[in-house]
Structures are given as structure tokens and as C-alpha cells.
Amino acid sequence: MTGAVPETLPEWLTAARRITVLTGAGISTESGIPDYRGPNGVWTRDPDAEKLVTLGYYLADPEIRRRSWLLRRAMQDADPQPNAGHRALVDLERQGRLRALVTQNIDGLHQAAGSSGELVHEIHGTVHEVVCTDCGDRTTIREALDRVAAGEPDPECRVCGGILKTATVYFGQMLEERVVEACTAAAADCDVFLAVGTSLQVWPAAGLADIAVGSGARLVVVNAEPTPYDWTADLVVREPIGTSLPRLVAAD
Ligand code: NAD
Ligand code: ZN
């Protein structure tokens, strides 16, 4: 089935007690954070923007780093807040039906909405921390952005002088093995795998859907545009996440 949220939800969904959710940038667009590949996505409008999150370009080019810090600053100034989609997943947890919440997002909005830290796996890291690419020293985004505001366009590590970047996973970077293991386990051990607001084009996150289906879970895709997994999904919903997700996870 493709399209609207069904009037009557299927029994396998309302009865599901171990739901693993995978979220992508689409769940945060209604909070004012653009996605990458949607119609108003950052890359759709400016294909060059991919360089800002590609490790090789970032390390090699101070101009890319300056642009990147300015973008982070603009996002912090915008002060995005969680929306109804994030809150629906908090409800799912309160119902005791959330096995895990794997997110490709780096914005921290699931935790801001009230999802428990133990259940949230940030597979692509977080924008709220900053790490030195040489010595690994960690600081907060606030500290780094205060330095940018004070006139350092590309602040360097205070410990070793190395290049700083947000603690997010860039293209060309490895994912943290510990996090991948937890996500894989959650995908293999659920009765429903719910993919929300993700184009399911980034690996290994998208591969979690394969693991879930291969382990016998039902697959639900909630995304405005088609994904490569729609054909194998038990339910595909194209309505906006902020209105569809609360109805999909409503308690029976
Ligand atoms: P993506 O940009 O590839 O896909 C987002 C999908 O969400 C699109 O297919 C779009 O049609 C859909 N969508 C957008 N708003 C929607 C809405 N309101 N209702 C229904 N569908 C909606 O995103 P991705 O798959 O997460 O991959 C992009 C990568 O970029 C991820 O690794 C992520 O870490 C990163 N990213 C994160 C953020 C964030 O933290 N908020 C923002 C941009 C990109
Ligand atoms: Zn350092």
C-alpha cells in the first residue's frame, strides 16, 4: 500500500511491541532544518555544498572550513525546536513499544523532544560537540562558535593546534563501530522497522532495513518521495511526517 495513513491501521503495526525506528533529515524539515536530497534540500539547491561535509575537502581547504562554521552558526542562531514527528516517537517510547531509535540526524532534536539517550543511536554523530581531527580533544559547539563570533573564522585546537570539526561523520570517514553494532542488533531484533524521512540512499544506515526484513520484521516507509525500499515495504506513507507519524504510532 502506498500513500495515505490507512483509516484502520494494520494489526501487525498496532500489535508491534518492538519497533526499531530509523530517522533521516526529513523528520527535521518541519523544524526548519533543510534536508539534503528533498526538493528544497541543501544539495538540490547547491550541489557544491556536498564538499562541506566531505572530509578530504574540509581538511585541505580553509575556505571550506570557514563556510562550514558559518553554516553551523546560522543553524545555532535559528535555534530549531522539535516538531510533532519527534514527539510522536517520544509517545512510542512511553507506550513501551520502542526498541531503538537510530537516527542519521546530527541535530539532537530527538533528545530535545524527550527521547531517552539510551534508546537513541546517533549513527552519524552530533553537531553539539566538536572534535580535533589530530589529537581527538573534544569541546562543545558553543565554545567553537563563540570563537568564530569573536573573530576566529577557522578556530584551531587549543591543545595541539590541529583542525577542529563537528563530531559528525563526514563522507570519507568511518562510522563508530560500537554504534553500528548497536544499530545492527536493533534492526535484527524488532517486529517492525519504521524508516522515517530518509531517502534510504546512505549506507550503512539504509542497509539496516535489509537486516530487519531479512530477520522477519515488517517494513514501514514514511517519506514524501519514493525510496529504493518502497517495493519491499509492507506500508508506504507519503503524507507529511508531522501529521502522519502521530497517527501511525497512536496506541491501539
Ligand atoms: P535525505 O536528504 O537524503 O532525504 C530526506 C527525505 O525526507 C527526502 O526523500 C524527502 O522527500 C523526505 N522528506 C523531507 N521532509 C519531509 C516531510 N516533512 N515529510 C515526509 N518526507 C519528508 O536525508 P537522509 O536520508 O537523512 O540522508 C542525508 C544525510 O544528511 C544523513 O546522513 C543525515 O545525517 C544528514 N543530514 C542531517 C540533517 C539533520 O540532522 N537534521 C539535515 C540534513 C542532512
Ligand atoms: Zn588537537
Coordinates of all heavy atoms in Angstrom, one line a residue, residues 20-38 83 85-86 89 100-110 120-125 193-203 205-206 208 220-225 227 240-242 245:
T20 N 11.8 -0.8 15.8 CA 13.1 0.0 15.6 C 12.8 1.0 14.6 O 12.3 0.8 13.5 CB 14.2 -1.0 15.2 OG1 14.6 -1.8 16.3 CG2 15.4 -0.2 14.8
V21 N 13.1 2.3 14.9 CA 12.9 3.4 14.0 C 14.2 3.9 13.5 O 15.2 4.0 14.2 CB 12.2 4.6 14.8 CG1 11.9 5.7 13.9 CG2 10.9 4.0 15.5
L22 N 14.2 4.2 12.2 CA 15.4 4.9 11.6 C 14.9 6.2 11.1 O 14.0 6.3 10.2 CB 15.9 4.0 10.4 CG 17.0 4.7 9.5 CD1 18.3 5.0 10.3 CD2 17.2 3.9 8.2
T23 N 15.5 7.3 11.6 CA 15.1 8.6 11.1 C 16.2 9.2 10.2 O 17.4 8.9 10.4 CB 14.7 9.6 12.2 OG1 15.8 9.8 13.0 CG2 13.5 9.0 13.0
G24 N 15.7 10.1 9.3 CA 16.7 10.9 8.5 C 16.3 12.3 8.5 O 15.4 12.8 9.2
A25 N 16.9 13.1 7.6 CA 16.8 14.5 7.7 C 15.3 15.0 7.5 O 15.0 16.1 8.0 CB 17.7 15.1 6.5
G26 N 14.5 14.2 6.8 CA 13.1 14.6 6.6 C 12.3 14.8 7.8 O 11.3 15.5 7.8
I27 N 12.7 14.2 9.0 CA 11.9 14.4 10.2 C 12.1 15.8 10.8 O 11.3 16.3 11.6 CB 12.1 13.3 11.2 CG1 10.9 13.3 12.3 CG2 13.4 13.4 11.9 CD1 10.9 12.1 13.2
S28 N 13.2 16.4 10.4 CA 13.6 17.7 10.9 C 13.3 18.9 10.0 O 13.4 20.0 10.4 CB 15.0 17.7 11.3 OG 15.3 16.8 12.4
T29 N 12.8 18.6 8.8 CA 12.5 19.7 7.9 C 11.4 20.6 8.4 O 11.4 21.8 8.3 CB 12.1 19.2 6.4 OG1 11.0 18.3 6.5 CG2 13.3 18.6 5.7
E30 N 10.4 20.0 9.1 CA 9.3 20.7 9.7 C 9.8 21.5 11.0 O 9.0 22.3 11.5 CB 8.1 19.8 10.0 CG 7.5 19.3 8.7 CD 6.4 18.2 9.0 OE1 5.4 18.4 9.7 OE2 6.6 17.1 8.4
S31 N 11.0 21.3 11.4 CA 11.6 22.2 12.4 C 12.5 23.3 11.8 O 13.2 24.0 12.5 CB 12.5 21.3 13.3 OG 11.8 20.4 14.0
G32 N 12.5 23.3 10.4 CA 13.2 24.4 9.7 C 14.6 24.0 9.3 O 15.4 24.9 8.9
I33 N 15.0 22.7 9.5 CA 16.3 22.3 9.1 C 16.2 21.7 7.7 O 15.5 20.6 7.6 CB 17.0 21.3 10.0 CG1 17.0 21.9 11.5 CG2 18.4 20.9 9.6 CD1 17.5 20.9 12.5
P34 N 16.8 22.2 6.6 CA 16.6 21.6 5.3 C 17.3 20.2 5.3 O 18.3 20.0 5.9 CB 17.4 22.6 4.4 CG 18.2 23.5 5.2 CD 17.7 23.4 6.6
D35 N 16.7 19.3 4.5 CA 17.4 18.0 4.2 C 18.4 18.2 3.1 O 18.7 19.3 2.7 CB 16.3 16.9 3.9 CG 15.5 17.2 2.7 OD1 15.8 18.1 1.9 OD2 14.4 16.6 2.5
Y36 N 19.0 17.1 2.6 CA 20.0 17.2 1.6 C 19.4 17.0 0.2 O 19.6 17.7 -0.7 CB 21.1 16.2 1.8 CG 22.1 16.5 2.8 CD1 23.0 15.6 3.3 CD2 22.2 17.8 3.3 CE1 23.9 15.9 4.3 CE2 23.2 18.1 4.3 CZ 24.0 17.2 4.8 OH 24.9 17.5 5.7
R37 N 18.5 15.9 0.1 CA 18.1 15.5 -1.2 C 16.6 15.8 -1.5 O 16.2 15.5 -2.6 CB 18.4 14.0 -1.4 CG 19.8 13.6 -1.2 CD 20.0 12.1 -1.4 NE 21.4 11.7 -1.2 CZ 22.0 11.6 0.0 NH1 21.3 11.7 1.1 NH2 23.3 11.2 0.1
G38 N 15.9 16.3 -0.6 CA 14.5 16.7 -0.9 C 14.4 17.9 -1.9 O 15.4 18.4 -2.3
N83 N 9.5 18.9 16.5 CA 8.2 19.0 16.0 C 7.4 17.8 16.3 O 7.8 16.9 17.0 CB 8.2 19.3 14.5 CG 8.8 18.1 13.7 OD1 8.3 17.0 13.8 ND2 9.9 18.4 12.9
G85 N 6.6 15.2 14.7 CA 7.2 13.9 14.3 C 8.1 13.4 15.4 O 8.1 12.3 15.8
H86 N 9.0 14.3 15.9 CA 9.9 13.9 17.0 C 9.0 13.5 18.3 O 9.3 12.5 18.9 CB 10.8 15.1 17.4 CG 11.7 15.5 16.3 ND1 11.5 16.7 15.6 CD2 12.9 15.0 15.8 CE1 12.4 16.9 14.7 NE2 13.3 15.9 14.8
L89 N 7.6 10.0 18.4 CA 8.5 8.9 18.8 C 8.7 8.9 20.3 O 9.0 7.8 20.8 CB 9.8 9.1 18.0 CG 9.6 8.9 16.5 CD1 10.9 9.1 15.7 CD2 9.0 7.6 16.1
A100 N 14.5 0.7 19.6 CA 15.6 1.6 19.4 C 15.2 2.7 18.4 O 14.4 2.6 17.6 CB 16.8 0.8 18.9
L101 N 15.9 3.9 18.6 CA 15.7 5.0 17.7 C 17.1 5.3 17.1 O 17.9 5.9 17.7 CB 15.1 6.2 18.4 CG 15.0 7.5 17.7 CD1 14.5 7.4 16.3 CD2 14.1 8.4 18.6
V102 N 17.3 4.8 15.8 CA 18.5 5.0 15.1 C 18.3 6.3 14.3 O 17.3 6.4 13.5 CB 18.8 3.9 14.2 CG1 20.1 4.1 13.4 CG2 18.9 2.6 14.9
T103 N 19.2 7.3 14.5 CA 19.0 8.5 13.7 C 20.2 8.8 12.9 O 21.4 8.7 13.4 CB 18.6 9.7 14.5 OG1 18.3 10.8 13.6 CG2 19.6 10.1 15.5
Q104 N 20.0 9.2 11.6 CA 21.1 9.7 10.8 C 21.3 11.2 11.0 O 22.2 11.8 10.5 CB 20.8 9.5 9.3 CG 20.6 8.0 8.9 CD 20.0 7.9 7.5 OE1 20.7 7.9 6.6 NE2 18.7 7.8 7.4
N105 N 20.4 11.8 11.8 CA 20.4 13.2 12.0 C 21.5 13.6 13.1 O 21.8 12.8 14.0 CB 19.1 13.8 12.4 CG 18.1 13.6 11.3 OD1 18.5 13.4 10.2 ND2 16.8 13.7 11.6
I106 N 22.0 14.8 13.0 CA 23.0 15.2 13.9 C 22.6 16.4 14.7 O 23.3 17.0 15.4 CB 24.2 15.7 13.0 CG1 23.8 16.8 12.0 CG2 24.8 14.5 12.3 CD1 24.9 17.4 11.2
D107 N 21.2 16.6 14.6 CA 20.7 17.9 15.2 C 20.3 17.8 16.7 O 20.0 18.8 17.3 CB 19.5 18.4 14.4 CG 18.4 17.3 14.2 OD1 18.2 16.5 15.1 OD2 17.8 17.4 13.1
G108 N 20.3 16.6 17.2 CA 19.9 16.4 18.7 C 18.4 16.6 19.0 O 18.1 16.7 20.2
L109 N 17.6 16.7 18.0 CA 16.2 17.1 18.2 C 15.4 15.9 18.9 O 14.4 16.2 19.5 CB 15.5 17.6 17.0 CG 15.9 19.0 16.5 CD1 15.1 19.4 15.3 CD2 15.9 20.0 17.6
H110 N 15.8 14.7 18.7 CA 15.1 13.6 19.3 C 15.3 13.7 20.8 O 14.3 13.6 21.6 CB 15.6 12.2 18.9 CG 15.2 11.9 17.5 ND1 13.9 11.8 17.1 CD2 15.9 11.6 16.4 CE1 13.8 11.5 15.8 NE2 15.0 11.3 15.3
V120 N 18.5 6.2 21.8 CA 18.8 7.0 20.6 C 20.3 6.6 20.2 O 21.2 6.7 21.0 CB 18.7 8.5 20.8 CG1 19.2 9.3 19.6 CG2 17.3 8.9 21.2
H121 N 20.4 6.2 19.0 CA 21.8 5.9 18.4 C 22.1 6.9 17.3 O 21.4 6.8 16.2 CB 21.8 4.5 17.9 CG 21.5 3.5 19.0 ND1 22.3 3.1 20.0 CD2 20.4 2.8 19.2 CE1 21.8 2.2 20.8 NE2 20.5 2.0 20.3
E122 N 23.0 7.8 17.5 CA 23.3 8.8 16.5 C 24.4 8.2 15.6 O 25.6 8.4 15.8 CB 23.8 10.1 17.2 CG 22.7 10.7 18.0 CD 23.2 12.0 18.8 OE1 24.2 11.8 19.5 OE2 22.5 13.0 18.7
I123 N 23.9 7.6 14.5 CA 24.9 6.9 13.7 C 25.8 7.8 12.9 O 26.9 7.4 12.5 CB 24.1 5.9 12.7 CG1 24.9 4.8 12.2 CG2 23.3 6.6 11.6 CD1 24.2 3.6 11.6
H124 N 25.4 9.0 12.7 CA 26.3 10.0 12.0 C 26.8 11.1 13.0 O 27.3 12.1 12.5 CB 25.6 10.6 10.8 CG 25.3 9.7 9.7 ND1 24.3 9.8 8.8 CD2 25.9 8.5 9.4 CE1 24.3 8.8 7.9 NE2 25.3 8.0 8.3
G125 N 26.8 10.8 14.3 CA 27.4 11.7 15.3 C 26.4 12.9 15.6 O 25.2 12.8 15.4
F193 N 10.2 -2.4 11.5 CA 11.2 -1.4 11.2 C 10.6 -0.2 10.5 O 10.0 -0.4 9.4 CB 12.3 -2.0 10.3 CG 13.6 -1.2 10.2 CD1 14.6 -1.2 11.1 CD2 13.7 -0.3 9.1 CE1 15.7 -0.5 11.0 CE2 14.8 0.5 9.0 CZ 15.9 0.4 9.9
L194 N 10.7 0.9 11.1 CA 10.0 2.1 10.7 C 11.0 3.1 10.2 O 11.7 3.7 11.0 CB 9.1 2.6 11.8 CG 8.3 3.9 11.8 CD1 7.3 3.9 10.6 CD2 7.6 4.1 13.1
A195 N 11.1 3.3 8.9 CA 12.0 4.3 8.3 C 11.3 5.6 8.0 O 10.3 5.6 7.3 CB 12.6 3.8 7.0
V196 N 11.7 6.7 8.6 CA 11.0 8.0 8.6 C 11.9 9.1 8.1 O 12.9 9.4 8.6 CB 10.5 8.4 10.0 CG1 9.7 9.6 10.0 CG2 9.8 7.3 10.7
G197 N 11.5 9.7 7.0 CA 12.2 10.9 6.5 C 13.6 10.7 6.0 O 14.5 11.5 6.2
T198 N 13.8 9.5 5.4 CA 15.1 9.2 4.9 C 15.0 8.7 3.4 O 14.1 7.9 3.1 CB 15.9 8.2 5.8 OG1 17.0 7.8 5.0 CG2 15.1 7.0 6.1
S199 N 15.9 9.2 2.6 CA 15.8 8.8 1.2 C 16.4 7.3 1.1 O 16.4 6.8 0.0 CB 16.6 9.7 0.3 OG 18.0 9.8 0.7
L200 N 16.9 6.8 2.2 CA 17.5 5.4 2.2 C 18.5 5.2 1.1 O 18.5 4.2 0.4 CB 16.3 4.4 2.1 CG 15.4 4.3 3.4 CD1 14.2 3.4 3.1 CD2 16.2 3.8 4.6
Q201 N 19.4 6.2 1.0 CA 20.4 6.2 0.0 C 21.8 6.1 0.6 O 22.8 6.0 -0.1 CB 20.3 7.4 -1.0 CG 19.1 7.3 -1.9 CD 19.0 8.5 -2.8 OE1 20.1 9.1 -3.2 NE2 17.9 8.8 -3.3
V202 N 21.9 6.4 1.9 CA 23.2 6.4 2.6 C 23.4 5.1 3.3 O 22.6 4.7 4.1 CB 23.2 7.6 3.6 CG1 24.6 7.7 4.2 CG2 22.9 8.9 2.9
W203 N 24.6 4.5 3.0 CA 25.0 3.3 3.7 C 25.9 3.6 4.8 O 26.7 4.6 4.7 CB 25.6 2.3 2.6 CG 24.5 1.7 1.8 CD1 23.7 2.3 0.9 CD2 24.1 0.3 1.9 NE1 22.8 1.4 0.4 CE2 23.0 0.2 1.0 CE3 24.4 -0.8 2.7 CZ2 22.3 -1.0 0.9 CZ3 23.8 -2.0 2.6 CH2 22.7 -2.1 1.6
A205 N 23.4 3.0 6.9 CA 22.1 3.2 7.5 C 21.0 2.5 6.7 O 20.1 1.8 7.3 CB 21.8 4.7 7.6
A206 N 21.0 2.7 5.4 CA 19.9 2.1 4.6 C 19.9 0.6 4.7 O 18.8 -0.1 4.7 CB 20.0 2.5 3.1
L208 N 20.2 -1.2 7.1 CA 19.6 -1.7 8.3 C 18.2 -2.2 8.0 O 17.7 -3.1 8.6 CB 19.5 -0.6 9.4 CG 20.8 -0.1 10.0 CD1 20.6 1.1 10.9 CD2 21.5 -1.2 10.8
V220 N 8.0 -0.4 7.4 CA 7.1 0.8 7.1 C 8.0 1.9 6.6 O 9.0 2.2 7.3 CB 6.3 1.2 8.3 CG1 5.4 2.4 8.0 CG2 5.5 0.1 8.9
V221 N 7.7 2.5 5.5 CA 8.5 3.7 5.0 C 7.6 4.9 5.0 O 6.5 4.9 4.4 CB 9.0 3.4 3.5 CG1 9.6 4.7 3.0 CG2 10.0 2.3 3.5
V222 N 8.0 5.9 5.7 CA 7.3 7.2 5.8 C 8.2 8.2 5.1 O 9.1 8.7 5.7 CB 6.9 7.6 7.2 CG1 6.0 8.9 7.2 CG2 6.2 6.5 8.0
N223 N 7.9 8.6 3.9 CA 8.8 9.5 3.2 C 8.0 10.1 2.0 O 7.3 9.4 1.3 CB 10.0 8.8 2.7 CG 11.2 9.7 2.4 OD1 11.7 10.3 3.4 ND2 11.6 9.9 1.2
A224 N 8.2 11.5 1.8 CA 7.4 12.1 0.8 C 7.8 11.6 -0.6 O 6.9 11.6 -1.5 CB 7.7 13.6 0.9
E225 N 9.0 11.3 -0.8 CA 9.4 10.8 -2.2 C 9.7 9.3 -2.1 O 10.0 8.8 -1.1 CB 10.7 11.6 -2.6 CG 10.5 13.1 -2.8 CD 11.8 13.8 -2.9 OE1 12.6 13.9 -2.0 OE2 12.1 14.2 -4.1
T227 N 11.5 5.8 -2.3 CA 12.8 5.3 -1.9 C 13.1 3.9 -2.5 O 12.2 3.3 -3.0 CB 12.9 5.1 -0.3 OG1 12.3 3.8 0.0 CG2 12.2 6.2 0.4
P240 N 3.0 14.2 4.9 CA 4.0 14.9 5.8 C 4.1 14.2 7.1 O 3.1 13.8 7.7 CB 3.5 16.3 5.9 CG 2.6 16.5 4.7 CD 2.0 15.2 4.4
I241 N 5.4 14.0 7.5 CA 5.7 13.3 8.8 C 5.0 13.9 10.0 O 4.4 13.1 10.8 CB 7.2 13.3 9.0 CG1 7.9 12.5 7.9 CG2 7.6 12.7 10.3 CD1 9.4 12.8 7.7
G242 N 4.9 15.2 10.1 CA 4.3 15.8 11.3 C 2.9 15.5 11.5 O 2.4 15.4 12.6
L245 N 3.0 10.7 11.2 CA 3.6 9.8 12.2 C 2.8 9.7 13.5 O 2.7 8.6 14.0 CB 5.1 10.3 12.4 CG 6.0 9.3 13.1 CD1 6.1 8.0 12.4 CD2 7.4 9.9 13.3

